[in-house]
Amino acid sequence: MSRVQLLFAGADEYNDIWVKAAASLPDLDLVLYRPGLDPSRFRYLMLWRPVPGLLPAMPNLKAVFSFGAGVERHLANPEIPAHVPIVRMVEPGLTQGMADYVLWQVLRHHRRFWELEEAAREGRWAPHWYPAAWDRKVGILGLGNLGQAAARQLLSFDFQIRGWSQSRKDLPGIASFAGTAELPAFLKDLEILVCLLPLTPQTAGILNAGLFAQLAPGAALINAGRGGHLVEADLIPALNSGQLAAASLDVFATEPLPGDHPFWAHPRIFVTPHNASDTDPGTGLGEVWRQIVAFEGGRPLENVVERARGY
Ligand code: NDP
Ligand code: OXD
C-alpha cells in the first residue's frame, strides 16, 4: 500500500505527542490541520471538535475517525455528510485509562477515603467501619467497551457488579440488565453508580432526582459519561438531603467548568477536568492505521457509529 495521509484535527494541546507517535508508522503521514490548509486531497480525517468549513472542503473524504469514544459532537455536526462513516475511538489506552479512573473512584467511595482525607486535614483521628468489597453493590450504566472494561477491573477486586445496556450481555460474574423496563431493578439498592453511557436523546438527563431516589440511601455517583447525563440542579439537593453521600464528576454541561460553579466548592463533589481517560497517541494512532489498512484492502471499517441510534 502506498503512503496514506491522515488529516489530524485533534485536541491541539497534545499535537506534538501525536506527531511523535506517528513517526513509528512509516507509511502514515500525519498532517496537522491549520487554518488556510487545503484539505481537499485528504481521504481520512481524525476529528475531535467540529472545525467549521472543513468537511465541505473535503470531497474525497472516505471516513472520519473520532478522536474520542463519545461521538455526540460529530452527530450534531451537519457538515459531516451522511454517506461518510464516523468511526468511534476504541483502543486499549483509552479503555485501560477509563478502567483505572473508575477503579480509583469506586475505591474512594467504597472506603470513604474522602472522609479520612478530610479528617487528616483537620487533625482528627476518625476511623470508620466499611463493608468488604464483595458486599458492595456497584452498578455501571453503559456496558459497552469502556463499561465492560471497568466492570472486569472492579470484578477482579471482588465488587458485586451490575451493568445496564440496551441489549442484554452474557458476561461472567456481571449481572446484566437491559432496556428501560429493567432500569428500576438495576438501580435497586445500588451503593455506587457509575455512568459510562453515550450522550443520546434517550440518555440525556438520566442522572436526575428520580433516579437518585431509587439508589440505596447514601449512594455515591460517578459520572464519566457526558455532562448532559446529569441534571445539574438535582445533584446538590440530593447530596444535602443525604440521598447521595458524594459524587465524582469528570464531565460537565459546560467545559471547562466555570470557576464560580457551585460544584467546585461542594465538599462532597470531586471534580476532575474531563480527564478520566484520554486516547493514547501510540495505541490510538495504531488503531486508526490498522483500520485504514483494512479498509484500503477492501475490508469493512469497525466501530462505525450507527447514526440512527446515536452512538
Ligand atoms: P460504547 O458504544 O461501547 O457503549 C455504550 C453502552 O451504552 C452500550 O453498552 C450501550 O448498550 C449502552 N447504551 C446506549 N444507549 C443506551 C440506552 N438508551 N439505554 C441503555 N443502554 C444504553 O461506548 P464506550 O464504552 O466506548 O463509551 C461510552 C461513553 O464514555 C462515550 O460515549 C463518552 O461519552 C464517554 N467517555 C468519556 C471519557 C472521559 O474521559 N470522561 C473518555 C471516553 C469516553 P448496547 O451495548 O446494548 O449497545
Ligand atoms: C472521549 C472523551 O469521548 O475523551 O473519548 O471524552
Side-chain angles (χ1 to χ4, degrees):
M1 203 176 85
S2 54
R3 287 176 74 81
V4 172
Q5 294 201 317
L6 173 68
L7 183 60
F8 181 85
D12 292 344
E13 52 277 24
Y14 299 125
N15 275 351
D16 52 336
I17 307 176
W18 283 82
V19 170
K20 252 190 220 143
S24 66
L25 296 165
D27 291 326
L28 180 75
D29 271 343
L30 187 83
V31 179
L32 298 180
Y33 171 77
R34 58 184 186 283
L37 171 140
D38 174 10
S40 60
R41 69 178 186 282
F42 292 93
R43 291 186 296 142
Y44 300 104
L45 170 68
M46 194 161 172
L47 187 65
W48 182 222
R49 299 180 188 93
V51 181
L54 175 60
L55 275 292
M58 300 186 75
N60 296 307
L61 191 62
K62 294 271 180 272
V64 171
F65 291 95
S66 173
F67 186 84
V71 293
E72 73 288 346
R73 278 197 203 119
H74 304 315
L75 293 178
N77 180 354
E79 291 189 351
I80 303 184
H83 69 273
V84 173
I86 303 169
V87 178
R88 292 187 308 109
M89 182 53 72
V90 177
E91 66 88 9
L94 184 65
T95 304
Q96 187 58 46
M98 186 58 83
D100 292 347
Y101 167 86
V102 171
L103 175 64
W104 172 40
Q105 289 309 310
V106 165
L107 286 173
R108 214 172 143 262
H109 292 296
H110 165 56
R111 295 287 306 270
R112 304 205 316 278
F113 283 137
W114 40 270
E115 279 189 1
L116 298 182
E117 285 164 10
E118 220 169 77
R121 270 195 303 275
E122 292 166 6
R124 274 188 296 118
W125 186 263
H128 60 221
W129 178 85
Y130 57 89
W134 49 84
D135 286 328
R136 187 68 91 185
K137 298 179 185 68
V138 181
I140 302 180
L141 290 165
L143 212 45
N145 176 55
L146 300 180
Q148 287 187 29
R152 279 193 302 271
Q153 181 133 289
L154 292 172
L155 206 55
S156 75
F157 279 70
D158 281 343
F159 289 100
Q160 286 185 31
I161 306 295
R162 299 176 197 169
W164 185 68
S165 44
Q166 301 245 54
S167 54
R168 194 173 311 288
K169 312 291 179 204
D170 182 12
L171 301 167
I174 298 166
S176 166
F177 296 75
T180 313
E182 294 185 12
L183 185 58
F186 164 80
L187 295 170
K188 192 172 162 30
D189 301 330
L190 274 187
E191 298 169 283
I192 300 177
L193 178 69
V194 181
C195 178
L196 281 174
L197 286 165
L199 186 63
T200 69
Q202 290 72 38
T203 64
I206 190 170
L207 304 174
N208 58 43
L211 178 142
F212 302 152
Q214 297 177 66
L215 301 169
L221 171 71
I222 300 167
N223 186 20
R226 283 291 183 260
H229 288 128
L230 175 66
V231 176
E232 288 196 350
D234 288 359
L235 181 60
I236 291 180
L239 290 165
N240 292 347
S241 73
Q243 177 59 57
L244 292 181
S248 306
L249 306 177
D250 185 59
V251 285
F252 304 89
T254 303
E255 294 181 3
L257 186 65
D260 60 352
H261 196 290
F263 287 174
W264 284 114
H266 197 284
R268 295 279 178 269
I269 299 177
F270 180 59
V271 169
T272 48
H274 197 145
N275 205 195
S277 186
D278 292 321
T279 301
D280 177 81
T283 47
L285 212 49
E287 168 62 13
V288 170
W289 179 239
R290 182 189 73 79
Q291 290 245 44
I292 291 176
V293 170
F295 186 69
E296 292 273 318
R299 292 187 292 284
L301 291 166
E302 296 167 23
N303 306 314
V304 174
V305 175
E306 286 183 35
R307 293 184 188 223
R309 72 175 190 178
Y311 65 99

